[in-house]
């Protein structure tokens, strides 16, 4: 009997897009160098895309041996605080998928309202037998990150790391990108980003791939979209030539609708299932 490719675990739930660019099981030595871009590094953006109470849910699928399996769901929430936004993401596998692999991942991030840069980031991960608790406190002004990390909160140990300016975590990156002004972007232009994760800083880029109309999302309708392609890290999960694609609404919400990516084994996609409390009317929908 063919062995199941269980190493595809971490791709799916931590923000795919996130989620999606990084995995706790990947080898940084396999990282490709980020290309030069035409866009300057952006350290702060004003939020115009989301509001308090926004909740978006995605259904996740994994394709193995030409069969699409309904793997689970991930739900993102926004809560507005006095001078911060609190972002959270909870990813869980369906019971019907857990014979293959079980995931219970929780991510949260407290970000500065004025910059959308993270101040505190928490990952509480359960993926098969893998466990991780990691609470990172960012001092953006002094270029430091303090990571309380271990297999559990009770056994976690503190370590200090140097970080570059404008450093993101996975969740802050998602909401930050929704607010980047791409008015003057041309196809192929890229935005450089830096993400701190797993005790290291990762230089990445998000490439603008242009506008695409009439993209269908099952159960929700058809939409005018903008397609972007985030850089991924080659390793256990992604091959060297992997291209991930994300379609977001071509309106002020910049709502991610669909994420697709091949993996080293199989492929994965996340499809928007439900949304509520958007900041703007969903004008990208094709009537």
């Amino acid at each position: 009997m063919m062995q199941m490719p269980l190493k595809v675990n971490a791709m799916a739930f931590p923000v795919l897009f996130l989620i999606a660019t990084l995995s706790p099981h990947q080898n940084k030595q396999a990282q490709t160098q980020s290309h030069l871009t035409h866009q300057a590094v952006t350290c702060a953006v004003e939020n115009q895309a989301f509001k308090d109470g926004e909740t978006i849910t995605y259904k996740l699928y994994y394709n193995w041996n030409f069969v699409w399996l309904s793997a689970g769901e991930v739900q993102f929430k926004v809560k507005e605080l006095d001078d911060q936004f609190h972002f959270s993401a909870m990813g869980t596998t369906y019971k019907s998928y857990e014979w293959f692999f079980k995931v219970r991942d929780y991510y949260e991030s407290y970000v500065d309202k004025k910059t959308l840069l993270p101040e505190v980031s928490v990952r509480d991960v359960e993926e098969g037998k893998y466990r991780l608790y990691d609470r990172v406190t960012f001092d953006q002004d002094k270029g430091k990150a303090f990571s309380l990390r271990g297999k559990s909160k009770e056994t976690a140990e503190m370590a200090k790391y140097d970080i570059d300016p404008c450093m993101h975590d996975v969740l802050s990156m998602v909401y930050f990108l929704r607010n980047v002004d791409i008015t003057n972007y041309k196809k192929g232009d890229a935005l450089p980003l830096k993400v701190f994760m797993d005790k290291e800083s990762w230089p990445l880029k998000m490439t603008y791939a242009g506008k695409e109309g009439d993209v269908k999302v099952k159960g929700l309708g058809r939409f005018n979209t903008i397609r972007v392609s985030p850089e991924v890290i080659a390793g256990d999960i992604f091959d060297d030539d992997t291209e991930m694609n994300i379609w977001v609404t071509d309106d002020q919400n910049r709502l991610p609708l669909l994420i697709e990516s091949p993996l080293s084994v199989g492929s994965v996609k996340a499809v928007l299932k439900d949304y509520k409390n958007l900041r703007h009317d969903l004008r990208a929908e094709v009537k």
Side-chain angles (χ1 to χ4, degrees), residues 90-279:
M90 181 69 186
T92 60
T93 38
Y94 293 136
K95 294 293 184 182
S96 60
Y97 186 81
E98 289 178 357
W99 64 272
F100 180 58
F101 203 82
K102 181 179 179 179
V103 173
R104 296 289 185 274
D105 283 359
Y106 180 72
Y107 283 56
E108 64 178 336
S109 181
Y110 293 85
V111 306
D112 186 300
K113 266 189 183 179
K114 295 181 179 179
T115 64
L116 298 188
L117 292 175
E119 297 179 342
V120 177
S121 172
V122 178
R123 296 168 62 204
D124 196 352
V125 171
E126 177 183 338
E127 298 171 355
K129 295 181 179 179
Y130 181 80
R131 302 289 185 274
L132 174 68
Y133 176 85
D134 192 8
R135 178 186 176 91
V136 180
T137 301
F138 293 86
D139 189 331
Q140 300 279 357
D141 293 333
K142 296 182 179 179
K144 302 292 181 182
F146 302 87
S147 173
L148 183 64
R149 181 185 174 95
K151 290 186 176 180
S152 68
K153 187 176 182 179
E154 292 71 26
T155 61
E157 298 180 353
M158 180 67 74
K160 181 173 68 173
Y161 302 91
D162 294 328
I163 59 173
D164 293 329
C166 314
M167 188 62 65
H168 282 279
D169 67 2
V170 174
L171 271 181
S172 71
M173 178 179 67
V174 174
Y175 290 93
F176 184 93
L177 286 170
R178 287 177 61 185
N179 281 282
V180 171
D181 183 4
I182 60 172
T183 304
N184 296 318
Y185 274 48
K186 297 181 177 65
K187 190 173 181 179
D189 283 350
L191 176 71
L193 296 165
K194 294 180 181 179
V195 179
F196 183 81
M197 187 175 181
D198 291 329
K199 304 183 287 186
E200 299 189 59
S201 299
W202 302 78
L204 302 171
K205 65 177 181 178
M206 183 72 73
T207 301
Y208 175 71
K211 296 190 176 186
E212 297 184 2
D214 203 15
V215 172
K216 183 179 180 180
V217 178
K218 185 177 180 180
L220 295 179
R222 296 179 179 274
F223 298 86
N224 292 317
T225 69
I226 296 166
R227 181 167 64 89
V228 296
S229 181
E231 184 177 29
V232 300
I233 307 301
D236 288 343
I237 308 300
F238 299 108
D239 291 330
D240 288 337
D241 58 351
T242 295
E243 181 182 58
M244 174 176 291
N245 287 297
I246 302 175
W247 288 263
V248 303
T249 56
D250 187 11
D251 60 14
Q252 291 176 292
N253 295 293
R254 294 288 191 266
L255 181 66
L257 295 170
L258 177 66
I259 300 100
E260 291 184 349
S261 178
L263 305 172
S264 296
V265 179
S267 58
V268 64
K269 66 180 177 181
V271 181
L272 182 65
K273 177 185 176 182
D274 187 36
Y275 58 87
K276 59 183 179 181
N277 294 326
L278 298 183
R279 180 164 180 168

Side-chain angles (χ1 to χ4, degrees), residues 21-87:
T21 50
L22 301 172
S23 164
H25 308 302
Q26 291 171 325
N27 180 359
K28 187 168 183 180
Q29 290 182 350
Q31 179 178 352
T32 57
Q33 293 295 319
S34 181
H35 294 86
L36 296 176
T37 70
H38 298 293
Q39 305 296 332
V41 174
T42 303
C43 283
V45 295
E46 181 182 359
N47 172 43
Q48 298 290 337
F50 59 83
K51 69 175 183 178
D52 179 52
E54 181 192 83
T55 302
I56 49 180
T57 305
Y58 296 85
K59 190 169 182 177
L60 305 178
Y61 300 87
Y62 172 60
N63 185 294
W64 179 73
N65 202 24
F66 305 105
V67 177
W68 281 104
L69 302 175
S70 297
E73 294 186 2
V74 59
Q75 186 175 78
F76 297 85
K77 293 183 177 181
V78 176
K79 184 175 181 180
E80 186 172 4
L81 307 176
D82 289 341
D83 57 357
Q84 295 175 317
F85 287 111
H86 175 238
F87 305 139

